[in-house]
Short mmCIF file of all heavy atoms in Angstrom, two decimals:
data_model
loop_
_atom_site.label_atom_id
_atom_site.label_comp_id
_atom_site.label_asym_id
_atom_site.label_seq_id
_atom_site.Cartn_x
_atom_site.Cartn_y
_atom_site.Cartn_z
N THR A 19 23.51 22.06 2.79
CA THR A 19 23.04 20.78 3.12
C THR A 19 22.76 20.62 4.61
O THR A 19 23.63 20.85 5.45
CB THR A 19 24.03 19.66 2.78
OG1 THR A 19 24.32 19.81 1.33
CG2 THR A 19 23.51 18.29 3.04
N ASN A 26 17.04 10.79 19.74
CA ASN A 26 17.09 9.77 20.75
C ASN A 26 16.93 10.34 22.20
O ASN A 26 17.26 9.66 23.15
CB ASN A 26 18.44 9.00 20.67
CG ASN A 26 18.55 8.25 19.38
OD1 ASN A 26 17.58 7.60 19.06
ND2 ASN A 26 19.59 8.34 18.72
N GLN A 37 3.07 19.56 36.35
CA GLN A 37 3.11 20.67 35.42
C GLN A 37 2.19 20.33 34.20
O GLN A 37 1.51 21.21 33.65
CB GLN A 37 4.50 20.99 35.04
CG GLN A 37 4.64 22.16 34.06
CD GLN A 37 6.05 22.58 33.84
OE1 GLN A 37 6.97 22.05 34.39
NE2 GLN A 37 6.22 23.55 32.92
N VAL A 69 -1.22 17.10 22.02
CA VAL A 69 0.25 17.04 22.37
C VAL A 69 0.68 18.39 22.80
O VAL A 69 0.39 19.35 22.10
CB VAL A 69 1.02 16.53 21.17
CG1 VAL A 69 2.51 16.48 21.50
CG2 VAL A 69 0.59 15.16 20.68
N PHE A 123 14.96 35.60 12.98
CA PHE A 123 14.56 35.51 11.61
C PHE A 123 14.57 36.86 10.94
O PHE A 123 14.62 36.94 9.68
CB PHE A 123 13.20 34.83 11.54
CG PHE A 123 13.20 33.37 11.78
CD1 PHE A 123 12.86 32.90 13.03
CD2 PHE A 123 13.64 32.48 10.85
CE1 PHE A 123 12.92 31.51 13.30
CE2 PHE A 123 13.70 31.14 11.06
CZ PHE A 123 13.32 30.67 12.26
N LEU A 178 2.57 27.75 7.44
CA LEU A 178 3.76 28.37 8.03
C LEU A 178 3.38 29.47 8.94
O LEU A 178 2.64 30.37 8.55
CB LEU A 178 4.68 28.92 6.86
CG LEU A 178 4.81 28.07 5.63
CD1 LEU A 178 5.67 28.77 4.61
CD2 LEU A 178 5.46 26.72 5.98
N ALA A 197 -8.26 12.57 0.21
CA ALA A 197 -8.01 13.83 0.77
C ALA A 197 -9.22 14.39 1.46
O ALA A 197 -10.35 14.29 0.96
CB ALA A 197 -7.51 14.82 -0.35
N ALA A 201 -10.25 17.42 7.65
CA ALA A 201 -9.10 16.93 8.55
C ALA A 201 -7.95 17.93 8.55
O ALA A 201 -7.35 18.20 9.66
CB ALA A 201 -8.60 15.52 8.07
#
Side-chain angles (χ1 to χ4, degrees):
T19 302
N26 292 315
Q37 182 173 357
V69 179
F123 286 99
L178 316 177

